[in-house]
Amino acid sequence: MDGIVLLVFIIAADILVSACWVYSKYTHNYSVTNYFYVLIMMCLFLYLLSTGGFGNSGCLWSYTLPLMTLFLLGHKRGLVAMIAYLLVVTLVFLANQHGAFYVVEFKVRFVASLLAVSIISYFIEYLRAS
């Protein structure tokens, strides 16, 4: 049953991302589309993280988020978005959601490594924009 809910969530995210692409293609309003795209991906990755995803591999998808977010939003707004995401991830871990149960050591390592990936992505985007 969990796999079906995950499938529905992923299909919904795909439809929303496709709608964003169509909207940006016809309106050329890329900044709004980028914000919606990042928000959709954050929601999907938070769902995967909080439920464990398929085979408890849902946490791995969060590592792709800093690259997408900082590239699409730029280094300043992307940094704000990533800080918000890291805070929500920390709150999800502190709340100890009923989905995937992670041990404390994993939670600490995951947040620290996601922070490291975010910092590296920030500097890469900062240098690219310079």
Side-chain angles (χ1 to χ4, degrees):
M1 186 64 178
D2 288 337
I4 294 172
V5 174
L6 178 60
L7 177 66
V8 168
F9 206 90
I10 290 172
I11 289 172
D14 287 343
I15 291 170
L16 289 171
V17 167
S18 298
C20 285
W21 179 79
V22 170
Y23 174 79
S24 67
K25 181 172 172 43
Y26 291 108
T27 64
H28 303 288
N29 192 357
Y30 300 112
S31 62
V32 171
T33 307
N34 289 345
Y35 282 112
F36 277 114
Y37 177 75
V38 168
L39 182 65
I40 292 165
M41 290 296 102
M42 283 183 173
C43 291
L44 176 62
F45 294 162
L46 279 172
Y47 177 77
L48 287 169
L49 183 69
S50 64
T51 62
F54 186 74
N56 268 351
S57 63
C59 59
L60 298 175
W61 289 97
S62 290
Y63 289 115
T64 62
L65 190 63
L67 297 170
M68 285 188 282
T69 302
L70 289 158
F71 177 75
L72 290 173
L73 301 182
H75 66 280
K76 291 179 184 174
R77 292 184 177 127
L79 179 63
V80 172
M82 281 313 302
I83 289 171
Y85 184 75
L86 283 165
L87 289 174
V88 173
V89 165
T90 303
L91 290 175
V92 166
F93 281 157
L94 289 175
N96 203 6
Q97 294 278 357
H98 61 279
F101 292 104
Y102 301 108
V103 295
V104 174
E105 292 83 11
F106 174 81
K107 293 176 185 180
V108 171
R109 285 194 330 251
F110 178 77
V111 171
S113 62
L114 186 59
L115 179 64
V117 170
S118 299
I119 290 170
I120 291 167
S121 299
Y122 170 80
F123 284 117
I124 290 171
E125 179 58 27
Y126 178 79
L127 290 173
R128 187 191 70 80
S130 301

